[in-house]
Amino acid sequence: MGPLIDTPGSKIHCLYWKNCPGGLRDELKLVTWTMLNGELRPTYVQSRSRATRTRDSAPVMRHSFLEWLRLARWLHKRDITRLGDCTPEHWRAYATERTFSGCSRDHARRILGQLSDLWAFDQLSARPSGIGRPPWDVEGVDDYLPEEASTGGGENQTEPLNETVIGPLLTWAIFMVEDLADDILAAWAERRRLTARAEATKGTPASRAALEAYLLPLGARDDDLLPATVGDRGRVTLARTFIAATTGASLKQVDRFAVKHGLTRLAAQRPGPCPLEVPITGRIEGRPWKDYIDFDEAPVLMRCLAAAATIVILYLTGMRPQEVQGLRSGCCPNPEQNPDGTTPRHLIYSHHYKNVTDDDGNHVSAGEEREVPWVAIEPVVRAIRVLERMVPVGELLLSSAHQDFASRRPFRGALRAESLARRVEDFVAWANREADGHGLPQRVIPPDPLGAIGLARFRRTLAWHIARRPGGLVALAVQYGHMRAVLDARTSTGYGDRGRPGVHGVLDIETVRAAADTAASLLGRTAAGEKISGQAARRALTGALKAPRFEGTLTTRQAATKAAKFLARDGIVLFDNPDSFLICAFKRDTALCDPEPGATAPIQFACQLGCGNAVRTDAHAHALRDRADYLDRQAAHTPKPIGDRLRSNANRLRGIADAHDATAKPAEEVLT
């Protein structure tokens, strides 16, 4: 399935047919071919859940194929050799056996959807098998699903890392990136130089003499150590490459000399170091962190350094692992200074892959560039710069080929998630060895009570810590790109709360306080004489008059309950949206931002022009014209294509402001 997979770091999936019953194989192959090369009918997709696509990703197709294969084996055991002979009774029996065998309700729903897709793709094939439509497509799926056992799902069920783990882990990662990277990269460059020299050197009588002068004294004395290395299988042997590069001999000369004098056996008995001649500048507690870096140690430290940089990026940006795997050299350019001499923050331009579809709703494996770049703080920028020193310009920062330091095999794509997870664990082991070696027990990274560190838990951990801070709800939304989390506590707390139910009363209170501030601001503006426009103007003013007022801080359980009830009052809770220059009197049924069912807040960064919930005052119209003027000034100093787009956007904003002026009314007139 390689041609269907463009996501960096993804496994290339294959479909194996050896376990498919022979009588059903040809029919199932045709349906599978139709799935791989075709698309579901739009009318079929529209009747499904919002997550259904006309064309899915390769991993999803593989899961569907495996479910079909399971069904085929089940039918074969019952002497059914044609898909067309699968009756509604067979469908019901198989569905009951599969969905009531201990799987969750969500998983059972996915299984039934995959089985329905088998029927749908069979209808599209060149030679339909005639398999009947699953009965749950007509009767509904509820009777075929187990009872709901828990709430939530997806990555939001991932547990955050324990505070005792993330503290020293992040400290060691930043320390390695900022204090040890130069030493490690210099050692790696020296190792590569020595390796290239050894491979290119031709043997001469002079080089043989130098080899004898270097090795014979070491082999003659019982207390001397021989330069040794550890092979792929853990066997200690003579460090032939290091010796060849050090003496100027060829590799063949070293091999012949070692056989003649039995040095391989002696090296295993008396293994010695292979110190690289690079200065040690890093310090731990004021002392050099190492006396030297060994020839064999350089690739191990490079793996740890790449893992440390990955940890810093994952945790201090909140990116999904796939997004980090897709980062390339040059993704975080140095910003240009502002006219006033200040320097803006670094931005990371990346691709995201989750739920990316084309105009027809088909899954796009290659993802798409994020519309809003990630904002990078200094430790993240330094981590990216370290990874950029490991790969060529424009290459993936976690390129499999360039991150294979030991063997330099010509892999393609980025390191896979499981490989990165193993490297994180290796980094933890290295950090703990260093802590023990330097007598720093307080810097040991303890095992996490909930298991392996993995990759997805960094994002979840940062979300939880942001949500604990006052006002953290808005910070969570900005950091993670879950735009509906800006003021929707029902969604955001599923991400930022340690509690299994995902209910966080404090965040509800913060949301209500923000809505109350918006209501007070609206009443203040209209009382000062500003006019108001929008289909929801009357509803917004009514809601503002009923909004609560807060003085001090409310943190009691009763206050949280009241806050949740207030947010559930659909249609009269006000949400300020300065980016769209409006106030949203959020009502789910009329919202054009496509909120989730049961949402109590708009998806503010998906605000659509013409939405019936939008309300504007004269201040918003003034801000729209100010923004339009700013875009015109920008357009004068940019290339023509970009300038034309900026001027077009400016004209659009002025048009919105003019529409407000033409329809706005005083509050008293709106309420009468």
Side-chain angles (χ1 to χ4, degrees), residues 21-44:
L24 296 166
R25 185 175 300 165
D26 288 343
E27 290 182 336
L28 203 57
K29 277 187 174 181
L30 183 57
V31 180
T32 304
W33 186 93
T34 305
M35 174 181 66
L36 295 176
N37 296 278
E39 299 178 2
L40 291 169
R41 289 191 178 100
T43 52
Y44 174 82

Side-chain angles (χ1 to χ4, degrees), residues 118-147:
L118 172 62
W119 168 80
F121 279 114
D122 183 64
Q123 297 289 304
L124 299 174
S125 71
R127 193 171 59 253
S129 67
I131 189 170
R133 187 172 189 174
W136 53 84
D137 265 7
V138 180
E139 302 167 3
V141 298
D142 284 346
D143 291 340
Y144 298 87
L145 299 177
E147 293 296 325

Side-chain angles (χ1 to χ4, degrees), residues 45 127 150 186 205 308 467 488 514 526 550 557 571:
V45 172
R127 193 171 59 253
S150 63
D488 185 3
T526 54
F550 288 91
R557 184 181 299 275

Side-chain angles (χ1 to χ4, degrees), residues 29 40 108 167 204 213 220 263 266 273 329 334 342 411 434 461 471 480 510 536 562 595 597 603 622 625:
K29 277 187 174 181
L40 291 169
T204 64
L263 296 184
L266 291 177
S329 175
N334 290 323
T342 61
F411 293 130
E434 291 296 314
T461 303
Y480 291 115
E510 288 295 322
K562 289 182 178 179
I603 307 174
H622 183 73
R625 291 190 172 92

